[in-house]
């Protein structure tokens, strides 16, 4: 499969934007403000760096503003190819809607809300089938969310991104040289990053 790293990150990212809200009762009703299918709209990216320019292996130095514009453009393009949105199936279950190689795919998950974060656990058997590699365990993915009248903003921060990178590296995928360079570049940038939020905005 081409672009294995981009595909896997897209799947993990798609999982990160799966969310809902609930309380402690036992009914399975989905809160009305979250009901329906939410579709990918655009990339959310907040980035502060400790230096005025950023050195990336194999590229000319870039400013934080240039990095921000590049990530947003790339995110809008790539996520638009793979991630379609999410659908709430019950108070505890949801479905991630994707498109892989032009075909519509679904990935089921469970979720739990704790205050301002949503913890989503993907179905590891379904994810293993999608990436073509056995995944022995699948930890819950935590993200923060903000909800408005018509849009939802969901994101992870620097610490959690480092956790996701470790997960990708731990899968020992047969990455191309270009994909390995991407991982190295991201890790290098994170070392000097002071603030980082990356996620998505969804609309009904």
């Amino acid at each position: 499969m081409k672009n294995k790293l981009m595909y896997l990150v897209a799947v993990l990212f798609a999982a990160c934007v799966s969310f809902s809200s609930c309380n402690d009762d036992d009914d399975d009703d989905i809160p009305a403000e979250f009901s329906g299918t939410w579709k990918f709209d655009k990339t959310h990216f907040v980035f502060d760096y400790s230096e005025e320019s950023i050195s990336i292996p194999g590229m000319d130095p870039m400013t934080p503003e240039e990095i921000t514009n590049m990530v947003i453009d790339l995110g809008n393009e790539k996520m638009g190819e793979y991630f379609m949105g999410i659908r709430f199936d019950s108070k505890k279950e949801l479905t991630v809607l994707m498109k892989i190689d032009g075909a519509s795919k679904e990935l089921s998950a469970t979720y739990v809300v704790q205050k301002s974060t949503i913890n989503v656990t993907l179905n590891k058997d379904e994810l293993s089938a999608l990436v073509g590699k056995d995944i022995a365990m699948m930890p819950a993915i935590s993200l923060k969310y903000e909800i408005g009248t018509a849009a939802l903003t969901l994101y992870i921060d620097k610490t959690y991104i480092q956790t996701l990178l470790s997960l990708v590296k731990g899968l020992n995928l047969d990455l191309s040289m270009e994909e390995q360079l991407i991982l190295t570049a991201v890790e290098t940038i994170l070392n000097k990053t002071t603030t980082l939020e990356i996620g998505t905005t969804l609309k009904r």
Side-chain angles (χ1 to χ4, degrees):
M1 180 181 293
K2 296 181 179 179
N3 300 320
K4 293 179 291 297
L5 175 61
M6 184 61 69
Y7 168 63
L8 180 57
V9 171
V11 170
L12 292 172
F13 189 82
C16 289
V17 298
S18 308
F19 82 105
S20 179
S21 179
C22 62
N23 50 41
D24 293 331
D25 56 37
D26 294 328
D27 68 85
D28 288 330
D29 293 336
I30 302 169
E33 64 268 36
F34 299 116
S35 65
T37 298
W38 294 83
K39 299 179 180 180
F40 171 77
D41 182 51
K42 60 185 178 181
T43 299
H44 169 80
F45 188 69
V46 177
F47 179 55
D48 291 319
Y49 200 67
S50 61
E51 299 179 358
E52 294 183 358
S53 65
I54 304 168
S55 296
I56 301 174
M59 299 176 61
D60 293 332
M62 302 177 68
T63 66
E65 182 178 4
E66 289 173 328
I67 288 287
T68 297
N69 292 335
M70 181 181 71
V71 170
I72 290 175
D73 289 343
L74 182 63
N76 289 340
E77 175 187 354
K78 294 302 180 181
M79 292 308 301
E81 292 179 5
Y82 294 110
F83 174 55
M84 301 293 102
I86 58 174
R87 181 186 70 236
F88 294 103
D89 300 315
S90 73
K91 188 176 178 180
K92 299 177 182 178
E93 299 176 336
L94 55 85
T95 300
V96 181
L97 308 174
M98 297 176 292
K99 184 171 289 186
I100 307 300
D101 296 331
S104 296
K105 301 287 184 180
E106 296 187 352
L107 179 61
S108 61
T110 58
Y111 65 90
V112 176
V113 174
Q114 295 179 333
K115 296 183 179 179
S116 61
T117 65
I118 296 103
N119 298 316
V120 178
T121 303
L122 297 173
N123 182 306
K124 69 180 183 65
D125 294 330
E126 293 180 11
L127 183 58
S128 295
L130 282 173
V131 302
K133 186 178 182 68
D134 181 57
I135 298 176
M137 61 176 294
M138 176 52 62
I141 300 172
S142 292
L143 62 142
K144 301 177 182 178
Y145 75 95
E146 299 171 1
I147 184 167
T149 56
L152 302 159
T153 301
L154 309 131
Y155 62 90
I156 51 179
D157 58 16
K158 173 184 174 179
T159 299
Y160 204 77
I161 291 170
Q162 290 172 319
T163 300
L164 287 181
L165 285 175
S166 296
L167 177 60
V168 172
K169 293 177 67 176
L171 292 176
N172 296 317
L173 296 175
D174 183 19
L175 302 179
S176 67
M177 181 65 69
E178 180 182 3
E179 291 167 337
Q180 292 175 4
L181 287 175
I182 291 174
L183 274 182
T184 300
V186 171
E187 290 177 320
T188 300
I189 293 171
L190 282 175
N191 288 336
K192 295 183 179 180
T193 296
T194 55
T195 302
L196 181 60
E197 296 177 3
I198 184 167
T200 186
T201 297
L202 304 175
K203 289 188 176 180
R204 265 196 287 236

